[in-house]
Amino acid sequence: QVHLVESGGGSVEAGGSLRLSCFASGDTSSLYCLSWFRQRPGAEREGVATIWTSGREEVYADSVKGRFALSADHYANTLYLRMSILTPEDSAMYYCAASRTLRGCRSGATEVDVDYWGQGTLVVVSS
């Protein structure tokens, strides 16, 4: 079992930055990857960024490439998502996710593919 806790959401003006944190506890050695997803009102949850636990490969959605960046503090079991040049379209509930299978780590993975979810942290970007 893996437990995920996000923090760092808030309100920011367009063009600003935020850093989200995800603390992972439990059987993290069983994970293939950690990801950030987001869900806008009325929309499906979509993948934003993924980091593979082996090799540290990172994958980003096209909509955030060049603006969002993952980093990890392995000693603190914490994954970060640095978000820059934010726009109102980035406003969403952001969820930390973890997967024990390749299916949950692939590009285009959906909500049902992921094994563990955090409770979410809200990001609001005003214009």
Side-chain angles (χ1 to χ4, degrees):
Q1 193 74 7
V2 173
H3 188 53
L4 305 171
V5 179
E6 305 99 329
S7 61
S11 297
V12 64
E13 292 185 352
S17 300
L18 280 175
R19 189 181 75 163
L20 306 183
S21 301
C22 172
F23 173 70
S25 60
D27 187 19
T28 57
S29 64
S30 68
L31 300 175
Y32 270 100
C33 70
L34 288 165
S35 303
W36 286 96
F37 282 70
R38 66 186 180 187
Q39 189 166 20
R40 303 183 185 93
E44 294 185 353
R45 202 168 292 191
E46 60 177 356
V48 173
T50 295
I51 184 168
W52 293 76
T53 56
S54 63
R56 312 287 196 259
E57 181 185 0
E58 300 171 15
V59 180
Y60 297 89
D62 288 342
S63 59
V64 305
K65 280 180 182 177
R67 301 189 299 122
F68 290 14
L70 290 165
S71 62
D73 182 339
H74 300 285
Y75 294 104
N77 277 2
T78 300
L79 177 70
Y80 301 100
L81 181 68
R82 176 70 177 178
M83 306 186 296
S84 303
I85 318 175
L86 287 162
T87 74
E89 289 68 38
D90 295 315
S91 297
M93 185 70 81
Y94 282 73
Y95 296 92
C96 184
S99 298
R100 293 182 289 111
T101 66
L102 295 176
R103 185 180 66 182
C105 302
R106 60 180 172 81
S107 177
T110 64
E111 190 170 349
V112 298
D113 297 323
V114 171
D115 295 298
Y116 305 103
W117 292 99
Q119 82 286 354
T121 186
L122 183 63
V123 172
V124 177
V125 184
S126 58
S127 57

